[in-house]
Every structure is written in C-alpha cells, then in structure tokens.
Amino acid sequence: MKKKSRKSIVKRLDIVFSLYIRLKNSDENGFCKCISCQKIQHYKEVDAGHFISRRHMSTRYDVDNVFPQCRYCNRYVAGNQWLYSQALEKIKKNLPEKLYLKSKQTVKYSNEDLESLISYYNNLLNHLN
C-alpha cells in the first residue's frame, strides 16, 4: 500500500478540523455568526477563519484560534483582524496575546500525530450529530 503524503494528510486534517469548527459553533439549523462582523450564515457558506495564520502549526489546530468567519472577512479584508481580536478578548481575557505567544512556539507534527488529530476531530464531529 502506498504511503500517504504529508501534504495529503494535512489537507484531510484541515477539512475535518474546518468542518468541526463550523458545526461546533452553529445552531440547530446550521447557522453561525462571523466572529468578526457578526453576519449570520449557514455553516456551508462560511470559512473556519484563523486569528493567527495557518502557517503557524502551533496554533493551526487550536480551537481557541479558529472560529466561523464569513468569506468576505476571511478572504478579502485580511481576517478583519481588529474585530476578530476584540471578539476573542470578550471570549477570554488576554486570548489574542496568548495565541500570539503560542504561535511563536515550534511544533512539528509527525504524520502519525496528524492522523491522530484526524481521528480525534472525526470523533468530535460524530458526537455533534
């Protein structure tokens, strides 16, 4: 059997994690609120927006760093960072600063670690339904 590439494993994890974030923050009808502008849309119409960029692996799969975000805020206005930080501060005092500091840590996931995270988030998704 062919070994899965790291890139394909990360892509699968990104998909599962994004779905988990959007569904976890949705109401019983599948609607959620953009963390930045507060626009309400169906979970299929929003992104899982990262406060700290996905390039930082230490915060990429941190549920405190990722929330539903409308596509406009996430894709066209750089995540609407100021409003995002204000919303995070309301959720938990000093959360933006804590995430920033965490993003400076080096984290190297093995392929097995990534596969474990896929299983973990799939399991959480199963419990949401």
Side-chain angles (χ1 to χ4, degrees), residues 1 8 14 20 27 30 41 47 49 56 61 77 79 83 95 104 109 128:
M1 188 168 135
S8 72
D14 285 345
Y20 171 71
D27 66 17
Q41 291 180 293
D47 292 339
H56 299 279
Y61 304 111
V77 290
L83 293 175
L95 183 54
K104 299 304 173 193
Y109 291 112
L128 286 178

Side-chain angles (χ1 to χ4, degrees), residues 62-118:
D62 184 328
V63 294
D64 287 338
N65 184 51
V66 187
F67 287 87
Q69 193 171 44
C70 74
R71 291 179 179 161
Y72 178 77
C73 284
N74 192 39
R75 299 178 188 186
Y76 300 107
V77 290
N80 220 334
Q81 204 72 3
W82 172 250
L83 293 175
Y84 202 142
S85 70
Q86 296 300 300
L88 288 178
E89 188 67 32
K90 287 178 186 170
I91 291 168
K92 189 174 183 182
K93 188 164 175 51
N94 299 321
L95 183 54
E97 181 183 1
K98 289 175 185 173
L99 288 169
Y100 172 76
L101 293 172
K102 184 176 182 183
S103 77
K104 299 304 173 193
Q105 299 170 1
T106 300
V107 172
K108 294 185 180 185
Y109 291 112
S110 68
N111 286 359
E112 293 76 23
D113 294 334
L114 296 170
E115 291 283 1
S116 292
L117 284 171
I118 291 170

Side-chain angles (χ1 to χ4, degrees), residues 49-61:
H50 290 69
F51 178 65
I52 301 292
S53 169
R54 289 183 342 152
R55 77 172 185 258
H56 299 279
M57 291 303 283
S58 56
T59 52
R60 186 173 183 144
Y61 304 111

